[in-house]
């Protein structure tokens, strides 16, 4: 198959291209650096020529309200170009529980992206993944100083980026789901506990203070970011991964 990977030069996209190529598919990365602009639409028609599948891994440059415009415009352009090119399957990577968190601009924007895909002209699949292990350092940095890290006890079920790549490849090379498939890591942690595990593995002596007002995830309550019983569980455990990551 010929698969166009939008955002194919990024963390997930570049690995998706490698995996698809190794499986003898024709995988073509499309990104600003390859002359494709999702917002203006420049280069999109040429990039999608002859494509069977479009995998949309493009991310908004910001996480604020502007992300709504980014996902609205990029999806409209991508669906229109895909229809013109005769694309048979549009795939989007999204977030587990994304439609349960309207208080966060970025999650509302991703939920809008899913809605546009569902209403679009092409058979589709939505791959929802939980938070990536690789983002923990950034999450810690949002609410930290030289002595302590403040984190809420929000429950997460994170997964390794490599396992997200496998999920995207599996769905993209299969029959369109015309719906959602959830993927998650094998373990659920309160975020403050995840912080303590991470700092210990990094030999960082700072204290984690449980603060249910700290950082972006403070707005999220309950289990909305953990996967339900229908989710596919990835094999990589965070405690194993963090030991090898540092």
């Amino acid at each position: 198959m010929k698969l166009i990977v939008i955002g194919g030069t990024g963390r997930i996209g570049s690995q998706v291209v490698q995996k698809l190529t190794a499986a003898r598919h024709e995988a073509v990365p499309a990104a600003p650096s390859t002359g494709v602009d999702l917002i203006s639409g420049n280069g999109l028609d040429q990039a999608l020529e002859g494509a069977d599948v479009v995998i949309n891994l493009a991310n908004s440059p910001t996480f604020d309200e502007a992300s709504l415009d980014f996902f609205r415009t990029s999806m409209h352009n991508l669906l229109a170009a895909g229809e013109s090119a005769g694309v048979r399957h549009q795939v989007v990577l999204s977030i587990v529980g994304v439609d349960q968190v309207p208080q966060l601009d970025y999650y509302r924007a991703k939920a809008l992206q899913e809605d546009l895909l569902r209403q679009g002209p092409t058979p589709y699949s939505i791959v929802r993944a939980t938070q990536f292990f690789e983002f923990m350092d950034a999450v810690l940095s949002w609410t930290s100083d030289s002595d302590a890290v403040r984190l809420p006890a929000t429950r997460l079920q994170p997964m390794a980026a490599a396992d997200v790549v496998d999920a995207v490849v599996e769905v993209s090379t299969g029959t369109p789901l015309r719906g959602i498939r959830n993927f998650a890591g094998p373990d659920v942690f309160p975020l403050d506990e995840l912080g303590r595990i991470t700092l210990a593995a990094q030999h960082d002596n700072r204290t984690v203070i449980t603060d249910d007002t700290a950082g972006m995830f403070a707005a999220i309550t309950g289990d909305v970011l953990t996967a339900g019983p229908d989710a596919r569980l990835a094999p990589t455990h965070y405690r194993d991964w963090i030991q090898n990551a540092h």
Side-chain angles (χ1 to χ4, degrees), residues 94-104 107 114 128-131 153-158 180 182-184 188-189 216-231:
S94 192
I95 308 165
V96 166
V98 73
D99 49 351
Q100 307 293 310
V101 194
Q103 61 272 43
L104 290 181
Y107 280 54
E114 288 189 2
R128 283 189 180 175
T130 51
Q131 285 65 38
T154 310
R155 287 162 63 77
L156 302 180
Q157 195 170 346
I180 295 164
N182 288 305
F183 293 85
V188 176
F189 302 93
M216 182 176 90
F217 290 108
I220 300 167
T221 55
D223 284 326
V224 295
L225 297 185
T226 63
D230 64 332

Side-chain angles (χ1 to χ4, degrees), residues 5 38 53 63 96 115 129-130 142 153-154 179 190-191 201 206 225 232 240:
V5 185
L38 278 183
V53 182
F63 289 90
V96 166
D115 288 341
T130 51
W142 295 338
T154 310
L191 181 54
R206 284 178 297 172
L225 297 185
R232 302 278 185 93
D240 297 334

Side-chain angles (χ1 to χ4, degrees), residues 132-164:
F132 303 172
F133 293 168
E134 285 78 357
F135 290 162
M136 263 313 287
D137 284 344
V139 172
L140 295 179
S141 73
W142 295 338
T143 52
S144 66
D145 56 33
S146 55
D147 302 315
V149 180
R150 294 178 177 276
L151 293 171
T154 310
R155 287 162 63 77
L156 302 180
Q157 195 170 346
M159 63 189 290
D163 292 337
V164 177

Side-chain angles (χ1 to χ4, degrees), residues 7 10 24 28 33 65 67 82 87 91 97 128 144 146 151 156 194-195 200-201:
R24 301 185 180 277
V28 183
S33 60
E65 212 174 325
S67 58
V87 167
V91 181
R128 283 189 180 175
S144 66
S146 55
L151 293 171
L156 302 180
L194 207 50

Side-chain angles (χ1 to χ4, degrees), residues 177-199:
L177 300 173
R178 298 179 188 266
I180 295 164
R181 184 170 293 163
N182 288 305
F183 293 85
D187 309 301
V188 176
F189 302 93
L191 181 54
D192 54 345
E193 183 193 341
L194 207 50
R196 292 184 186 102
I197 293 167
T198 305
L199 292 182

Side-chain angles (χ1 to χ4, degrees), residues 52-74:
D52 300 298
V53 182
V54 171
I55 305 171
N56 184 1
L57 307 174
N59 208 353
S60 165
T62 66
F63 289 90
D64 58 13
E65 212 174 325
S67 58
L68 283 150
D69 283 337
F70 174 86
F71 286 118
R72 183 184 293 112
T73 303
S74 59

